[in-house]
Amino acid sequence: MRKNFVEELKWRGMLAQIMPGTEEALQKEMITAYLGTDPTADSLHIGHLCGIMMLRHLQKCGHKPIILVGGATGMIGDPSGKSQERNLLNDETLRHNQECIKKQVAKFLDFESKEENAAEMVNNYDWMKDFTFLDFAREVGKHITVNYMMAKESVQQRLNGTARDGLSFTEFTYQLLQGYDFLYLYQHKGVKLQLGGNDQWGNMTTGTELIRRTLGNDAESYALTCPLITKSDGKKFGKTESGNIWLDRNRTTPYKFYQFWLNVSDDDAERYIKIFTSLDKETIDGLIDEHKQDPGRRVLQKRLAEEVTVLVHSREDLDTAIEASSILFGKATKDALEKLDEQTFLDVFDGVPHYEVSRDILGQPAVEIMTQSAPVFPSKGEMRKMVQGGGFSLNKEKLSQFDRPVTADDLIDGKYLLAQKGKKNYYLLIVK
């Protein structure tokens, strides 16, 4: 018996809208479904994860997932949920972005499977690049009326909204282009179902309508959306003050990625662990119960952060992130600091006071540096007292003499000194 994909999405809180007949079709046979993603960057961010997890659950339920990279549509821009037209990309950039995205998605989907439901990646540029405007107008445009297109919520919002520039013809045709993707995949790959975020519903139903009008009423196609994920305070999920949380380690370090999930609220952790992990219902219900007994232990957040970090990065990256997290609060050593790559080191100490000092300080007594070059202590006397009481550390090592010279050997990564007063007060000196 095939596992019920729709039921799986329902209990996980991942189902927003579904066309009639979709669940029955999924129970009857293996369905090939696709989800489109936008290749405007060479990495996905966690805002894309809900859609990718839908494909993962689909494949685990015995169906075939196809991820479509919108090379052609990425050159145009989609009005859904946007107030401005986006920048257009060239072919070389799109191809590079596609390869990077495939590597990331391969951690979630099985592209190598010998089973008939192996995942595939396609690019709509491949079938759009030689499609002339005249052919498009004749083969696609004639099937869908302007009245039908105008009624779409995404179009109405742009026409009546705050965008100064209105809606360009390019963007207006976007729903036809996305609709044609569905028709093309239906005809060439046997795709019967399109998955996407709830803001895509209008474009997706245009696709099912185009299939019906082009191929007749017997051509059955379906659409299913996941809700747009928000935080419990209503703000956009996945954005931080410093921008998106990316899946690419060069844009967001595994440490910062891990910290994002670790710091979500209790309510969000309860929702996110269902959406962003593959843990089963029994395990998740158990974790929720355990968390409610003692919320201070943050059981849900820890398990969520662990699962997603391993899925996106690796077990080794998770261990490094946990070790890095303990540096601020634990009894880490200088060795632990030196093991961190520079970006992770800076991420760990992101929130502590930073002071830039000249290389001329090397060779000077610590007390001079911590009072004159950087205001770690208001006076030499105060530093002397704290050093004598064993309360001051340099690079996680207790300083035994307040006037010991600081040399180049003390520098981490050749340019950092980490001063620590007591347990929690850190200062980062950047030697330039």
Side-chain angles (χ1 to χ4, degrees):
M1 183 69 180
R2 186 173 278 111
K3 200 172 169 192
N4 189 316
F5 174 57
V6 175
E7 282 301 318
E8 185 75 13
L9 294 186
K10 272 183 190 166
W11 78 259
R12 289 183 182 276
M14 294 172 75
L15 186 66
Q17 297 188 75
I18 179 169
M19 279 181 69
T22 306
E23 187 169 5
E24 292 77 3
L26 284 157
Q27 286 300 90
K28 200 166 63 182
E29 60 182 344
M30 185 192 86
I31 293 282
T32 303
Y34 90 97
L35 175 132
T37 192
D38 171 22
T40 46
D42 61 3
S43 172
L44 300 175
H45 53 74
I46 57 174
H48 295 107
L49 269 188
C50 186
I52 302 298
M53 290 304 290
M54 283 172 89
L55 288 177
R56 182 176 171 86
H57 293 308
L58 179 93
Q59 191 172 32
K60 283 179 175 288
C61 290
H63 302 287
K64 182 179 176 71
I66 291 183
I67 182 156
L68 177 144
V69 174
T73 35
M75 289 179 162
I76 288 170
D78 168 14
S80 305
K82 311 286 190 306
S83 59
Q84 289 176 318
E85 221 171 307
R86 63 178 60 158
N87 294 334
L88 312 184
L89 305 173
N90 63 35
D91 188 30
E92 190 188 348
T93 307
L94 284 166
R95 291 290 173 193
H96 165 74
N97 291 357
Q98 178 184 336
E99 283 311 303
C100 295
I101 289 168
K102 182 167 183 182
K103 267 190 202 153
Q104 291 178 339
V105 177
K107 294 186 173 179
F108 295 82
L109 305 178
D110 186 355
F111 287 91
E112 307 299 323
S113 172
K114 298 288 183 276
E115 302 296 322
E116 57 180 348
N117 71 329
E120 278 185 55
M121 178 177 265
V122 295
N123 187 335
N124 62 8
Y125 183 69
D126 295 334
W127 57 83
M128 292 304 299
K129 65 179 185 289
D130 300 322
F131 204 3
T132 69
F133 179 73
L134 290 174
D135 287 340
F136 187 80
R138 190 179 61 209
E139 291 179 33
V140 181
K142 73 173 186 185
H143 290 293
I144 302 289
T145 66
V146 170
N147 308 46
Y148 180 87
M149 293 169 71
M150 291 286 285
K152 296 291 182 184
E153 196 182 342
S154 59
V155 173
Q156 287 295 321
Q157 282 174 346
R158 282 294 295 272
L159 287 175
N160 305 324
T162 53
R164 288 195 305 268
D165 305 332
L167 182 70
S168 71
F169 174 75
T170 306
E171 286 187 294
F172 182 56
T173 56
Y174 188 92
Q175 60 175 291
L176 284 185
L177 289 164
Q178 187 169 329
Y180 181 71
D181 286 341
F182 200 171
L183 173 62
Y184 181 91
L185 290 171
Y186 184 97
Q187 291 176 305
H188 294 84
K189 297 274 185 188
V191 171
K192 287 188 180 177
L193 171 62
Q194 185 179 173
L195 307 175
N198 209 26
D199 59 337
Q200 292 292 313
W201 182 253
N203 292 342
M204 290 161 73
T205 51
T206 298
T208 60
E209 188 66 9
L210 182 62
I211 289 169
R212 189 183 67 78
R213 292 187 186 187
T214 307
L215 303 175
N217 290 336
D218 292 340
E220 292 178 348
S221 57
Y222 307 96
L224 183 160
T225 62
C226 62
L228 295 179
I229 311 299
T230 55
K231 294 194 280 194
S232 51
D233 60 8
K235 288 183 182 159
K236 198 167 180 182
F237 162 75
K239 291 260 188 192
T240 64
E241 283 169 25
S242 54
N244 283 317
I245 302 292
W246 298 91
L247 306 196
D248 180 349
R249 64 191 306 121
N250 297 317
R251 287 171 176 254
T252 301
T253 59
Y255 165 79
K256 212 168 189 178
F257 186 85
Y258 172 78
Q259 284 292 321
F260 170 83
W261 300 101
L262 196 61
N263 289 311
V264 300
S265 70
D266 288 353
D267 288 346
D268 285 340
E270 195 172 316
R271 283 191 308 134
Y272 295 168
I273 201 162
K274 294 172 185 170
I275 296 168
F276 299 112
T277 78
S278 294
L279 296 173
D280 60 38
K281 191 170 188 306
E282 197 182 344
T283 305
I284 289 175
D285 287 346
L287 286 164
I288 290 169
D289 286 345
E290 192 184 343
H291 182 88
K292 282 178 176 165
Q293 285 164 22
D294 185 3
R297 283 177 53 222
R298 299 179 75 74
V299 168
L300 273 181
Q301 283 92 337
K302 284 177 183 167
R303 187 63 183 274
L304 170 67
E306 179 184 316
E307 292 287 329
V308 187
T309 305
V310 169
L311 192 54
V312 171
H313 294 292
S314 68
R315 173 69 56 183
E316 193 183 353
D317 285 323
L318 170 71
D319 294 341
T320 304
I322 291 172
E323 199 176 328
S325 302
S326 70
I327 285 172
L328 278 172
F329 310 105
K331 296 177 178 174
T333 60
K334 186 181 180 188
D335 284 350
L337 292 179
E338 287 176 330
K339 267 200 291 191
L340 300 178
D341 63 86
E342 186 176 10
Q343 191 52 58
T344 303
F345 177 81
L346 289 173
D347 283 346
V348 171
F349 297 104
D350 186 30
V352 311
H354 287 43
Y355 301 111
E356 287 190 6
V357 296
S358 158
R359 287 196 91 78
D360 299 347
I361 62 150
L362 297 177
Q364 288 182 17
V367 67
E368 289 290 331
I369 296 167
M370 300 300 159
T371 56
Q372 306 302 311
S373 306
V376 176
F377 288 94
S379 70
K380 292 180 181 179
E382 192 173 317
M383 178 166 172
R384 183 188 293 121
K385 216 183 291 176
M386 188 168 250
V387 169
Q388 285 167 350
F392 179 76
S393 299
L394 186 65
N395 300 335
K396 283 287 181 182
E397 291 177 344
K398 288 256 187 286
L399 198 69
S400 53
Q401 295 168 291
F402 72 96
D403 56 355
R404 137 164 128 66
V406 173
T407 68
D409 290 342
D410 291 309
L411 298 180
I412 293 166
D413 257 346
K415 58 178 158 181
Y416 301 109
L417 291 168
L418 182 69
Q420 182 181 357
K421 283 162 65 174
K423 282 186 178 173
K424 293 182 180 173
N425 297 314
Y426 290 94
Y427 307 84
L428 187 63
L429 278 63
I430 304 161
V431 182
K432 295 210 161 181

